């Protein structure tokens, strides 16, 4: 006898991004918003859970220039620059990916989008900002990306 169970929003994999933008060390912007977990990220997660993609994990945050709304079918960022994550921490069914985009990284990029990437280059999730960050060497961005399972 089978049972149909529908997932509710609070049971789905989801994410939340927090950014702090500093210019010459002074906080100029704080930004918090949700993200879209993309199909490729869901497929990688299923492969990890099933043992097919063992050993692959999220290692990088990416920034790009597209202002196109995030969708589940997204696979990459436009003009992508990848930055290694600073650390990952765990709290129950949540993992937090910490990152810093330093003064010497992604300069000259007009940052509108962010993504989390697995070690094999597959994008897990994408977020598009409402406003752009003109990244120059006097700008640093620190933040975290929470994923809830």
């Amino acid at each position: 006898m089978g049972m149909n169970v529908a997932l509710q929003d609070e049971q789905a994999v989801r994410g939340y991004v927090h950014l702090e933008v500093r210019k010459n060390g002074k906080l100029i912007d704080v930004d918090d918003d949700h993200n879209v977990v993309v199909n490729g990220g869901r497929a990688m997660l299923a492969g990890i859970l099933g043992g097919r993609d063992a050993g692959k994990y999220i290692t990088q945050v990416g920034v790009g220039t597209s202002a196109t709304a995030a969708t589940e079918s997204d696979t990459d960022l436009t003009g992508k620059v990848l930055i290694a994550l600073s650390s990952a921490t765990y709290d129950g069914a949540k993992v937090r990916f910490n990152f810093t985009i330093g003064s010497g990284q992604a300069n000259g990029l007009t940052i509108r989008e962010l993504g989390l990437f697995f070690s094999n280059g597959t994008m897990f999730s994408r977020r598009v900002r409402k406003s752009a960050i003109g990244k120059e060497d006097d700008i640093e961005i620190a933040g975290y990306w929470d994923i809830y399972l």
Side-chain angles (χ1 to χ4, degrees), residues 76-97:
D76 212 348
L77 304 178
T78 302
K80 173 178 67 185
V81 174
L82 293 173
I83 293 107
L85 294 169
S86 305
S87 64
T89 57
Y90 309 89
D91 182 13
K94 176 183 87 173
V95 61
R96 174 170 286 178
F97 299 101

Side-chain angles (χ1 to χ4, degrees), residues 30-137:
V30 176
D31 185 27
D32 296 286
D33 205 354
H34 297 278
N35 72 172
V36 172
V37 177
V38 300
N39 294 334
R42 289 181 190 280
M44 279 293 296
L45 185 56
I48 290 167
L49 293 173
R52 179 192 69 210
D53 293 319
K56 295 188 175 90
Y57 49 94
I58 293 173
T59 59
Q60 298 169 314
V61 64
V63 291
T65 60
S66 177
T68 302
T71 69
E72 291 179 348
S73 63
D74 292 339
T75 59
D76 212 348
L77 304 178
T78 302
K80 173 178 67 185
V81 174
L82 293 173
I83 293 107
L85 294 169
S86 305
S87 64
T89 57
Y90 309 89
D91 182 13
K94 176 183 87 173
V95 61
R96 174 170 286 178
F97 299 101
N98 299 294
F99 59 90
T100 300
I101 303 166
S103 61
Q105 297 173 302
N107 289 333
L109 201 67
T110 301
I111 298 172
R112 290 295 307 255
E113 60 181 338
L114 296 98
L116 278 180
F117 288 84
F118 284 97
S119 57
N120 71 348
T122 300
M123 187 165 65
F124 177 76
S125 56
R126 181 170 176 254
R127 151 102 197 287
V128 177
R129 287 178 42 88
K130 293 174 180 69
S131 62
I133 300 170
K135 181 65 176 75
E136 299 299 334
D137 63 3

